[in-house]
Amino acid sequence: MIPEIIRWHGRKKAVGAQFRRSAVILTKVIMAGGILAACSSSGEEGGLATAEFKGSAQNNTGLQLIDGPDNSVFVGAIASDEPRASLAARTVLENGGTAVDAITALYFNLAVTMPHEAGLGGGGICLVHDPEAREVTSYNFLARRSRAGGPVAVPGNVRGFALMHAVHGTSPWSSLVAPAEVLAAKGHEVSRALASEIGPLAPAIRSLPQLAEVYLGPNGRGLQQGDLLVQKGLAAALGRARAGGPSGIYSGEIATAFAQEAARLGSAITLDELRAYRPSTQPAQTFKIGDQTLSVPPADTGAGAYMASIWPAAQSLSGGELMRAAQAELARAGAETNLPGSFGSTGFVVATAGGDAAACAVTMNGPFGTGRMVPGTGIVPARAPDAPGFGLAGAFLAPAIVANDFNGTFFFAGAAAGGPQASASVLEAANSLVGTSTTLEAVHRSSVSNAQSLLNVVACPGGAPREGASCVFGADPKGAGLGVLGFPPL
């Protein structure tokens, strides 16, 4: 993914907690998997002016935008591992939503388009930057071990995003979940991002009839790019979440079905245990990059403890040397170093023109978690966090945000997941983009990320919002995701 470089300029106008900023496209914007419409209109007082862009087709990957005039505007930027999810977040920003609104919609779309990594049965960690409060809050909603033990985890994703939305969102909850519900019900063409993941998993899926019925094509092959994927059961579950919020998943018929399936798999998860699940919130763990503050998950989480342990190395090492240091920290902690190829995890980021931002990473503790689907719901429970071979999945979730804790200025949001390279690549990117002014293209070229631990970034190395700020954003070119700008509505 070619990084998208923009310049913010103009006078700030406060509108509640939101700011309006102008943007000039300095270089090309390449979209993978979608077309960015170019059009024009005139702005009036009290509204955001839009501008005409000159566009030309490039390689079948989307629209190349060039020569943006000085009055072009944008509302935010997004980067994730799957194009439709990024586009869903863009729609929310363009309709006036916050960064948390957008990342919530992004997550629910990922639950449909990348279910092996972002299913409703999984969990995760998010960081949220509030520029007015000048603070970064960590939301921990990892899938938890049942009180009775067993192979099935108590899910956290729906409750986690619901809590973040309640605190930081302004868009109606139903408007953020409904697009994913429709996508699951009507079906969508499988993206290159999903097809590239399903292919290697096909042999394992063949032995799991419920998954095979949905995610394998003719003759038992994995779904190919362009195949139609319909998920009626998942649409029904999303409908419950849309109408009832987290209660639609954690109580009632879906919770009963989940508990019954968990029992069949050997986990005595009770309805009370599902209803009682609550995410935790606390201030992020912080380190300094010059005058700015790097925020990562708290030290009492595996993710935060691991990121803290390799942060010293990330400030001075890169590439193979950084990975050796990251592996050494695992060995020093007595952790397993012979790791699976995929942990079934993904990271994604959103930042707005006003400086509010969110960075998230979620996991199923292994691709497709337990591999068993709760009948009639499309929900695949995550593996328990102490499952053999995948117990470190939560430790390798790596969201990070860099901001100024004095004035609330935003500098960086990055996320990756899926192995020690995820944590190393995010920390290296934060240090390089904020501390040494390295370009995003150079960061992605030298990054230790790989196809199972993709690095997604939005960064403003000089800070934003401020006069003349320059920002970059992009999805990892090792994958098939999408980094995209959001523009105001016409």
Side-chain angles (χ1 to χ4, degrees), residues 76-96:
I78 305 108
S80 84
D81 291 344
E82 206 284 327
R84 281 188 182 83
S86 291
L87 294 174
R90 183 184 72 172
T91 297
V92 172
L93 290 184
E94 292 180 340
N95 287 328

Side-chain angles (χ1 to χ4, degrees), residues 244-292:
S247 295
I249 302 297
Y250 291 83
S251 62
E253 293 180 3
I254 288 183
T256 299
F258 189 98
Q260 291 172 345
E261 184 63 25
R264 281 191 285 270
L265 291 172
S267 290
I269 296 175
T270 67
L271 293 179
D272 285 343
E273 190 171 8
L274 288 169
R275 280 193 293 264
Y277 182 102
R278 293 294 184 274
S280 64
T281 66
Q282 57 184 307
Q285 179 181 196
T286 60
F287 304 93
K288 299 301 287 188
I289 302 180
D291 294 331
Q292 316 315 331

Side-chain angles (χ1 to χ4, degrees), residues 61-135:
T61 60
L63 196 68
Q64 174 182 338
L65 303 183
I66 58 175
D67 300 329
D70 286 349
N71 64 333
S72 61
V73 298
F74 80 101
V75 292
I78 305 108
S80 84
D81 291 344
E82 206 284 327
R84 281 188 182 83
S86 291
L87 294 174
R90 183 184 72 172
T91 297
V92 172
L93 290 184
E94 292 180 340
N95 287 328
T98 66
V100 165
D101 287 330
I103 212 162
T104 299
L106 195 162
Y107 164 70
F108 280 107
N109 270 262
L110 282 176
V112 177
T113 60
M114 300 289 273
H116 61 299
E117 297 176 338
L120 299 185
I125 298 176
C126 289
L127 301 179
V128 178
H129 173 241
D130 183 336
E132 288 196 331
R134 300 186 297 278
E135 64 185 16

Side-chain angles (χ1 to χ4, degrees), residues 112 120 180-188 213-215 228-240 254 373-379:
V112 177
L120 299 185
E181 177 189 358
V182 172
L183 197 65
K186 292 187 175 180
H188 63 91
E213 183 179 351
V214 179
Y215 300 111
L228 182 66
L229 173 58
V230 178
Q231 300 169 88
K232 296 288 188 182
L234 182 57
L238 288 167
R240 295 295 183 94
I254 288 183
M373 191 176 290
V374 178
T377 72
I379 297 174

